Amino acid sequence: MGLIFNAVAGELPLVRRVWSASCDAATGFTSAAKGSSMIAFARTGDRLTVHLRGPETRATQLICPEGWEFFGVELRLGAYLPLFPPSGLADLNDALLPTLSGDRILLDNRDWEMPTEQNVDVFVDRLVRAGLLIFDPLVDEIRHGERPRAMSERTAQIRFRRAVGMSRRKLVSIEQAQHAAQLLTAGRSIVDVVTVGGYYDQPQLARAMRWATGHTPGELRSDIPFVAF
């Protein structure tokens, strides 16, 4: 069957969704551009690695190795670990957390119990209570072109980049491309997606789909390998 992927909405305020994946055969797939960061866990045999991953500003072709299992949390936009700013983790430049014997994780000079797919939300909650995972409440305002009256545009941009790992303009283009790609994979016509997605014409849509998903609009409408949004 290749790659099996599942995702459910997060039950914590800072978690967008909890996801899991496994591969019973080596499978190629596309990791699409995305603005969110995540905490991910990968297991093969007795080996378990813990990854902190930032946003992705372009599509990347990846391989899910045979026999590997993954799970993790995709964080809400604006949630991040100050010890590992998202900009330093962008485009698959993951930070690997040290692991200790007895399924423990070393973070902030403390060891933490390794979570499972079923209780990873508890792990996230503990990080929040320890002040290691925080949320910038102004990100949503800045994202929509607003900011506190006393805050300059430059200060707002710096604050947004610190919490998200990219500029607001880049995030808007990624979210626009994600929406268009999802419409295409659902079977909407290219002409409709140009209009609904807010693109000038089909060539502009095609360019956006290429950098954001690694595929053309026609390929997204056909039977292509899994695209991880």
Side-chain angles (χ1 to χ4, degrees):
M1 294 179 64
L3 173 63
I4 301 172
F5 181 86
N6 295 291
V8 296
E11 296 182 358
L12 291 172
L14 302 191
V15 174
R16 180 173 176 263
R17 61 178 179 173
V18 179
W19 58 270
S20 63
S22 61
C23 292
D24 57 12
T27 307
F29 70 98
T30 304
S31 181
K34 56 182 68 69
S36 53
S37 296
M38 66 177 67
I39 305 172
F41 305 84
R43 183 188 296 277
T44 177
D46 295 330
R47 181 188 174 201
L48 183 64
T49 53
V50 184
H51 303 245
L52 302 180
R53 177 165 292 183
E56 298 175 51
T57 62
R58 58 184 180 273
T60 308
Q61 300 297 321
L62 299 175
I63 297 290
C64 182
E66 181 180 357
W68 282 68
E69 297 178 345
F70 306 86
F71 71 92
V73 292
E74 183 178 337
L75 300 174
R76 178 182 172 187
L77 195 71
Y80 67 104
L81 285 77
L83 292 174
F84 299 91
S87 59
L89 308 174
D91 293 322
L92 309 183
N93 188 30
D94 295 5
L96 289 176
L97 297 184
T99 54
L100 309 172
S101 60
D103 280 344
R104 310 290 292 184
I105 304 168
L106 185 63
L107 175 62
D108 193 36
N109 295 318
R110 287 177 277 179
D111 63 289
W112 304 73
E113 181 180 357
M114 186 75 69
T116 65
E117 180 184 342
Q118 289 70 36
N119 67 9
V120 67
D121 56 333
V122 176
F123 175 71
V124 171
D125 185 53
R126 288 173 178 167
L127 293 181
V128 172
R129 288 190 279 114
L132 297 179
L133 176 61
I134 65 174
F135 174 71
D136 189 334
L138 293 182
V139 163
D140 279 341
E141 292 183 40
I142 300 171
R143 176 189 187 186
H144 292 100
E146 303 172 359
R147 65 179 189 276
R149 186 169 299 176
M151 182 178 290
S152 69
E153 178 65 28
R154 176 173 172 76
T155 299
Q157 291 175 0
I158 292 173
R159 184 157 179 169
F160 190 89
R161 280 183 177 273
R162 182 174 64 240
V164 179
M166 66 176 67
S167 69
R168 171 184 171 273
R169 178 176 295 180
K170 186 63 176 180
L171 176 69
V172 169
S173 66
I174 287 174
E175 292 182 332
Q176 180 185 20
Q178 280 184 332
H179 180 231
Q182 288 164 348
L183 291 174
L184 289 166
T185 57
R188 292 286 292 271
S189 72
I190 294 174
V191 173
D192 283 349
V193 174
V194 167
T195 302
V196 175
Y199 291 96
Y200 295 120
D201 52 26
Q202 292 188 31
Q204 187 191 29
L205 173 66
R207 289 192 297 270
M209 294 303 95
R210 179 63 72 181
W211 67 256
T213 73
H215 295 282
T216 66
E219 289 171 341
L220 289 169
R221 296 186 74 248
S222 63
D223 187 17
I224 61 171
F226 177 77
V227 178
F229 293 108

